[in-house]
């Protein structure tokens, strides 16, 4: 399997961490999105949306959309709860991540770190919605160790990807103690150095 990803992207890193956690063998192909490498004709043939991550299976077929890839990699593993209700709750988080979390937390980080904007110049909507997303996570986590059930699932891996670097976009995780604690626990389980 080949993972096409940009190491600056949480959407790509969540795929890498899942493969690593499950000891799945892969080749990592670095794609520099800031140089437009995800828009080449060869890349568009794999994903017409021109975005990373993409996973190309050994038989040549390709899968895009980070959380769809996670589901593919996690099939049959402990990262997907066996209980059907818990499995659906996990899916609920994966969908929420893409619609209500990533578009604010990841975009704020991208604009600050890679486009040189100052936090004070970010669109207020990004900050408001980002804080709402972190508040929602804080509420859900309470004193729980994981988002779903009592073990690490794809929901934790997906959501930790951009939550752990939320401070790059000006969000202070000290305001969300349960989230802060959970990030540390998930980083430890995935063998990640705490985000700088
Ligand atoms: N919903 C997609 C989002 C993918 C995405 O936004 N990829 C960004 C990097 S995080 C990208 O490839 N940007 C380059 C571009 O759009 O040209 C997913 O979860 O995979």
């Amino acid at each position: 399997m080949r993972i096409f990803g940009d190491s600056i992207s949480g959407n790509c890193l969540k795929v890498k961490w899942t493969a690593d956690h499950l000891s799945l063998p892969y080749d990592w192909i670095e794609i520099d999105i800031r140089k437009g490498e995800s828009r080449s004709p060869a890349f568009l043939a794999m994903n017409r949306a021109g975005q990373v991550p993409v996973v190309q299976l050994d038989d040549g077929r390709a899968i895009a959309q980070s959380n769809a890839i996670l589901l593919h990699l996690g099939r049959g593993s402990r990262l997907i709860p066996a209980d059907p209700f818990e499995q659906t709750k996990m899916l609920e988080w994966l969908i929420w991540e893409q619609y209500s979390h990533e578009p604010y937390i990841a975009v704020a980080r991208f604009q600050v770190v890679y486009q040189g904007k100052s936090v004070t110049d970010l669109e207020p909507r990004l900050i408001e919605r980002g804080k709402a997303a972190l508040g929602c996570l804080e509420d859900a986590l309470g004193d729980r160790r994981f988002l779903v059930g009592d073990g690490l699932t794809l929901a934790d891996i997906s959501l930790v990807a951009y939550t752990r670097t939320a401070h790059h976009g000006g969000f202070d995780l000290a305001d969300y103690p349960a989230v802060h604690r959970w990030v540390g626990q998930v980083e430890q389980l995935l063998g990640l150095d705490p985000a700088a």
Side-chain angles (χ1 to χ4, degrees), residues 20-46:
D20 288 342
H21 192 71
L22 295 174
S23 304
L24 302 174
Y26 63 88
D27 289 325
W28 176 270
I29 317 290
E30 186 73 17
I31 297 290
D32 190 333
I33 54 173
R34 287 170 294 169
K35 290 188 182 150
E37 289 177 5
S38 63
R39 302 280 164 168
S40 70
F43 195 91
L44 290 170
M46 288 192 298

mmCIF file of all heavy atoms in Angstrom, residues 20-46:
data_model
loop_
_atom_site.group_PDB
_atom_site.id
_atom_site.type_symbol
_atom_site.label_atom_id
_atom_site.label_comp_id
_atom_site.label_asym_id
_atom_site.label_seq_id
_atom_site.Cartn_x
_atom_site.Cartn_y
_atom_site.Cartn_z
ATOM 1 N N ASP A 20 0.420 2.859 11.365
ATOM 2 C CA ASP A 20 1.506 2.517 12.299
ATOM 3 C C ASP A 20 0.959 1.746 13.496
ATOM 4 O O ASP A 20 1.535 0.734 13.912
ATOM 5 C CB ASP A 20 2.212 3.793 12.799
ATOM 6 C CG ASP A 20 3.062 4.445 11.724
ATOM 7 O OD1 ASP A 20 3.395 3.764 10.726
ATOM 8 O OD2 ASP A 20 3.387 5.634 11.856
ATOM 9 N N HIS A 21 -0.155 2.233 14.054
ATOM 10 C CA HIS A 21 -0.711 1.599 15.251
ATOM 11 C C HIS A 21 -1.114 0.154 14.970
ATOM 12 O O HIS A 21 -1.010 -0.707 15.842
ATOM 13 C CB HIS A 21 -1.913 2.409 15.735
ATOM 14 C CG HIS A 21 -2.389 2.015 17.099
ATOM 15 N ND1 HIS A 21 -1.670 2.294 18.239
ATOM 16 C CD2 HIS A 21 -3.488 1.345 17.516
ATOM 17 C CE1 HIS A 21 -2.311 1.817 19.290
ATOM 18 N NE2 HIS A 21 -3.419 1.229 18.876
ATOM 19 N N LEU A 22 -1.572 -0.089 13.743
ATOM 20 C CA LEU A 22 -2.014 -1.443 13.387
ATOM 21 C C LEU A 22 -0.884 -2.258 12.736
ATOM 22 O O LEU A 22 -1.119 -3.373 12.259
ATOM 23 C CB LEU A 22 -3.224 -1.360 12.439
ATOM 24 C CG LEU A 22 -4.491 -0.743 13.067
ATOM 25 C CD1 LEU A 22 -5.580 -0.561 12.019
ATOM 26 C CD2 LEU A 22 -5.002 -1.623 14.216
ATOM 27 N N SER A 23 0.314 -1.675 12.699
ATOM 28 C CA SER A 23 1.486 -2.333 12.081
ATOM 29 C C SER A 23 1.211 -2.750 10.642
ATOM 30 O O SER A 23 1.603 -3.853 10.210
ATOM 31 C CB SER A 23 1.925 -3.556 12.894
ATOM 32 O OG SER A 23 2.181 -3.209 14.215
ATOM 33 N N LEU A 24 0.525 -1.899 9.903
ATOM 34 C CA LEU A 24 0.265 -2.188 8.483
ATOM 35 C C LEU A 24 1.446 -1.659 7.673
ATOM 36 O O LEU A 24 1.843 -0.507 7.860
ATOM 37 C CB LEU A 24 -1.021 -1.490 8.019
ATOM 38 C CG LEU A 24 -2.296 -1.852 8.785
ATOM 39 C CD1 LEU A 24 -3.461 -0.977 8.316
ATOM 40 C CD2 LEU A 24 -2.631 -3.321 8.584
ATOM 41 N N PRO A 25 2.002 -2.463 6.788
ATOM 42 C CA PRO A 25 3.142 -1.980 6.004
ATOM 43 C C PRO A 25 2.693 -1.016 4.896
ATOM 44 O O PRO A 25 1.640 -1.226 4.284
ATOM 45 C CB PRO A 25 3.729 -3.252 5.383
ATOM 46 C CG PRO A 25 2.632 -4.260 5.438
ATOM 47 C CD PRO A 25 1.653 -3.863 6.494
ATOM 48 N N TYR A 26 3.481 0.019 4.665
ATOM 49 C CA TYR A 26 3.138 0.991 3.608
ATOM 50 C C TYR A 26 4.390 1.751 3.190
ATOM 51 O O TYR A 26 5.376 1.803 3.932
ATOM 52 C CB TYR A 26 2.074 1.989 4.097
ATOM 53 C CG TYR A 26 2.538 2.838 5.258
ATOM 54 C CD1 TYR A 26 3.221 4.042 5.064
ATOM 55 C CD2 TYR A 26 2.323 2.427 6.579
ATOM 56 C CE1 TYR A 26 3.665 4.810 6.140
ATOM 57 C CE2 TYR A 26 2.762 3.184 7.653
ATOM 58 C CZ TYR A 26 3.438 4.377 7.430
ATOM 59 O OH TYR A 26 3.891 5.115 8.498
ATOM 60 N N ASP A 27 4.313 2.346 2.000
ATOM 61 C CA ASP A 27 5.330 3.327 1.594
ATOM 62 C C ASP A 27 4.675 4.692 1.690
ATOM 63 O O ASP A 27 3.553 4.874 1.192
ATOM 64 C CB ASP A 27 5.764 3.088 0.134
ATOM 65 C CG ASP A 27 6.593 1.823 0.017
ATOM 66 O OD1 ASP A 27 7.351 1.525 0.957
ATOM 67 O OD2 ASP A 27 6.454 1.135 -1.014
ATOM 68 N N TRP A 28 5.374 5.618 2.292
ATOM 69 C CA TRP A 28 4.865 6.987 2.415
ATOM 70 C C TRP A 28 5.409 7.820 1.250
ATOM 71 O O TRP A 28 6.621 7.878 1.041
ATOM 72 C CB TRP A 28 5.325 7.598 3.745
ATOM 73 C CG TRP A 28 4.941 9.041 3.929
ATOM 74 C CD1 TRP A 28 5.669 10.152 3.571
ATOM 75 C CD2 TRP A 28 3.721 9.534 4.508
ATOM 76 N NE1 TRP A 28 4.980 11.293 3.905
ATOM 77 C CE2 TRP A 28 3.789 10.949 4.478
ATOM 78 C CE3 TRP A 28 2.597 8.920 5.049
ATOM 79 C CZ2 TRP A 28 2.759 11.754 4.977
ATOM 80 C CZ3 TRP A 28 1.579 9.718 5.543
ATOM 81 C CH2 TRP A 28 1.656 11.121 5.500
ATOM 82 N N ILE A 29 4.518 8.399 0.474
ATOM 83 C CA ILE A 29 4.962 9.261 -0.637
ATOM 84 C C ILE A 29 4.624 10.697 -0.256
ATOM 85 O O ILE A 29 3.442 11.063 -0.143
ATOM 86 C CB ILE A 29 4.214 8.921 -1.965
ATOM 87 C CG1 ILE A 29 4.092 7.396 -2.184
ATOM 88 C CG2 ILE A 29 4.864 9.641 -3.146
ATOM 89 C CD1 ILE A 29 5.341 6.670 -2.510
ATOM 90 N N GLU A 30 5.673 11.478 -0.044
ATOM 91 C CA GLU A 30 5.451 12.862 0.403
ATOM 92 C C GLU A 30 4.969 13.721 -0.783
ATOM 93 O O GLU A 30 5.593 13.731 -1.849
ATOM 94 C CB GLU A 30 6.753 13.422 0.990
ATOM 95 C CG GLU A 30 6.641 14.794 1.611
ATOM 96 C CD GLU A 30 5.900 14.841 2.964
ATOM 97 O OE1 GLU A 30 5.730 13.794 3.623
ATOM 98 O OE2 GLU A 30 5.476 15.950 3.331
ATOM 99 N N ILE A 31 3.865 14.395 -0.582
ATOM 100 C CA ILE A 31 3.264 15.263 -1.601
ATOM 101 C C ILE A 31 3.218 16.670 -1.016
ATOM 102 O O ILE A 31 2.579 16.887 0.019
ATOM 103 C CB ILE A 31 1.809 14.802 -1.913
ATOM 104 C CG1 ILE A 31 1.786 13.392 -2.497
ATOM 105 C CG2 ILE A 31 1.080 15.779 -2.814
ATOM 106 C CD1 ILE A 31 2.349 13.274 -3.896
ATOM 107 N N ASP A 32 3.905 17.597 -1.652
ATOM 108 C CA ASP A 32 3.934 18.966 -1.121
ATOM 109 C C ASP A 32 2.745 19.747 -1.680
ATOM 110 O O ASP A 32 2.746 20.157 -2.846
ATOM 111 C CB ASP A 32 5.272 19.626 -1.504
ATOM 112 C CG ASP A 32 5.474 20.951 -0.783
ATOM 113 O OD1 ASP A 32 4.461 21.601 -0.432
ATOM 114 O OD2 ASP A 32 6.640 21.330 -0.583
ATOM 115 N N ILE A 33 1.730 19.933 -0.833
ATOM 116 C CA ILE A 33 0.520 20.596 -1.347
ATOM 117 C C ILE A 33 0.778 22.065 -1.671
ATOM 118 O O ILE A 33 0.161 22.630 -2.553
ATOM 119 C CB ILE A 33 -0.691 20.469 -0.387
ATOM 120 C CG1 ILE A 33 -0.371 20.956 1.024
ATOM 121 C CG2 ILE A 33 -1.221 19.046 -0.372
ATOM 122 C CD1 ILE A 33 -1.582 21.002 1.958
ATOM 123 N N ARG A 34 1.755 22.647 -0.955
ATOM 124 C CA ARG A 34 2.016 24.070 -1.220
ATOM 125 C C ARG A 34 2.732 24.279 -2.550
ATOM 126 O O ARG A 34 2.793 25.363 -3.081
ATOM 127 C CB ARG A 34 2.806 24.686 -0.055
ATOM 128 C CG ARG A 34 1.916 24.862 1.185
ATOM 129 C CD ARG A 34 2.712 25.224 2.400
ATOM 130 N NE ARG A 34 3.587 24.135 2.799
ATOM 131 C CZ ARG A 34 4.560 24.244 3.705
ATOM 132 N NH1 ARG A 34 4.784 25.398 4.283
ATOM 133 N NH2 ARG A 34 5.297 23.195 4.030
ATOM 134 N N LYS A 35 3.264 23.193 -3.104
ATOM 135 C CA LYS A 35 3.861 23.279 -4.455
ATOM 136 C C LYS A 35 2.877 22.772 -5.498
ATOM 137 O O LYS A 35 3.239 22.559 -6.659
ATOM 138 C CB LYS A 35 5.149 22.444 -4.520
ATOM 139 C CG LYS A 35 6.287 23.034 -3.731
ATOM 140 C CD LYS A 35 7.571 22.246 -4.031
ATOM 141 C CE LYS A 35 8.740 22.769 -3.221
ATOM 142 N NZ LYS A 35 9.704 21.677 -2.930
ATOM 143 N N GLY A 36 1.653 22.485 -5.083
ATOM 144 C CA GLY A 36 0.630 22.047 -6.037
ATOM 145 C C GLY A 36 0.786 20.600 -6.482
ATOM 146 O O GLY A 36 0.210 20.184 -7.497
ATOM 147 N N GLU A 37 1.566 19.803 -5.721
ATOM 148 C CA GLU A 37 1.840 18.437 -6.178
ATOM 149 C C GLU A 37 0.609 17.529 -6.165
ATOM 150 O O GLU A 37 0.608 16.483 -6.794
ATOM 151 C CB GLU A 37 2.970 17.818 -5.344
ATOM 152 C CG GLU A 37 4.324 18.450 -5.645
ATOM 153 C CD GLU A 37 5.467 17.924 -4.781
ATOM 154 O OE1 GLU A 37 5.255 16.990 -3.985
ATOM 155 O OE2 GLU A 37 6.578 18.462 -4.909
ATOM 156 N N SER A 38 -0.441 17.972 -5.446
ATOM 157 C CA SER A 38 -1.663 17.152 -5.435
ATOM 158 C C SER A 38 -2.583 17.513 -6.604
ATOM 159 O O SER A 38 -3.691 16.995 -6.705
ATOM 160 C CB SER A 38 -2.412 17.341 -4.116
ATOM 161 O OG SER A 38 -2.828 18.682 -3.970
ATOM 162 N N ARG A 39 -2.096 18.381 -7.468
ATOM 163 C CA ARG A 39 -2.930 18.798 -8.612
ATOM 164 C C ARG A 39 -2.337 18.328 -9.938
ATOM 165 O O ARG A 39 -2.773 18.752 -11.005
ATOM 166 C CB ARG A 39 -3.074 20.335 -8.613
ATOM 167 C CG ARG A 39 -3.685 20.891 -7.309
ATOM 168 C CD ARG A 39 -5.185 20.748 -7.303
ATOM 169 N NE ARG A 39 -5.753 20.922 -5.961
ATOM 170 C CZ ARG A 39 -7.038 21.065 -5.710
ATOM 171 N NH1 ARG A 39 -7.911 21.060 -6.693
ATOM 172 N NH2 ARG A 39 -7.497 21.188 -4.494
ATOM 173 N N SER A 40 -1.326 17.483 -9.889
ATOM 174 C CA SER A 40 -0.735 16.986 -11.144
ATOM 175 C C SER A 40 -1.708 16.011 -11.796
ATOM 176 O O SER A 40 -2.546 15.409 -11.106
ATOM 177 C CB SER A 40 0.592 16.270 -10.850
ATOM 178 O OG SER A 40 0.312 15.053 -10.176
ATOM 179 N N PRO A 41 -1.616 15.822 -13.124
ATOM 180 C CA PRO A 41 -2.521 14.874 -13.792
ATOM 181 C C PRO A 41 -2.461 13.476 -13.181
ATOM 182 O O PRO A 41 -3.492 12.832 -12.993
ATOM 183 C CB PRO A 41 -2.018 14.867 -15.246
ATOM 184 C CG PRO A 41 -1.335 16.188 -15.411
ATOM 185 C CD PRO A 41 -0.743 16.537 -14.074
ATOM 186 N N ALA A 42 -1.269 13.020 -12.816
ATOM 187 C CA ALA A 42 -1.143 11.669 -12.237
ATOM 188 C C ALA A 42 -1.883 11.606 -10.910
ATOM 189 O O ALA A 42 -2.560 10.615 -10.605
ATOM 190 C CB ALA A 42 0.331 11.325 -12.045
ATOM 191 N N PHE A 43 -1.771 12.672 -10.120
ATOM 192 C CA PHE A 43 -2.444 12.656 -8.828
ATOM 193 C C PHE A 43 -3.955 12.749 -9.006
ATOM 194 O O PHE A 43 -4.727 12.030 -8.351
ATOM 195 C CB PHE A 43 -1.943 13.803 -7.926
ATOM 196 C CG PHE A 43 -2.337 13.587 -6.490
ATOM 197 C CD1 PHE A 43 -1.498 12.912 -5.625
ATOM 198 C CD2 PHE A 43 -3.572 14.003 -6.030
ATOM 199 C CE1 PHE A 43 -1.884 12.654 -4.312
ATOM 200 C CE2 PHE A 43 -3.967 13.759 -4.728
ATOM 201 C CZ PHE A 43 -3.120 13.081 -3.861
ATOM 202 N N LEU A 44 -4.380 13.606 -9.938
ATOM 203 C CA LEU A 44 -5.825 13.765 -10.174
ATOM 204 C C LEU A 44 -6.462 12.468 -10.667
ATOM 205 O O LEU A 44 -7.646 12.223 -10.435
ATOM 206 C CB LEU A 44 -6.079 14.901 -11.179
ATOM 207 C CG LEU A 44 -5.791 16.312 -10.634
ATOM 208 C CD1 LEU A 44 -5.834 17.335 -11.758
ATOM 209 C CD2 LEU A 44 -6.775 16.701 -9.535
ATOM 210 N N ALA A 45 -5.655 11.618 -11.291
ATOM 211 C CA ALA A 45 -6.190 10.330 -11.744
ATOM 212 C C ALA A 45 -6.533 9.437 -10.555
ATOM 213 O O ALA A 45 -7.399 8.570 -10.639
ATOM 214 C CB ALA A 45 -5.176 9.641 -12.663
ATOM 215 N N MET A 46 -5.860 9.683 -9.428
ATOM 216 C CA MET A 46 -6.159 8.892 -8.220
ATOM 217 C C MET A 46 -7.272 9.544 -7.415
ATOM 218 O O MET A 46 -8.105 8.884 -6.812
ATOM 219 C CB MET A 46 -4.918 8.791 -7.317
ATOM 220 C CG MET A 46 -3.841 7.907 -7.842
ATOM 221 S SD MET A 46 -2.604 7.595 -6.546
ATOM 222 C CE MET A 46 -1.997 9.240 -6.218
#
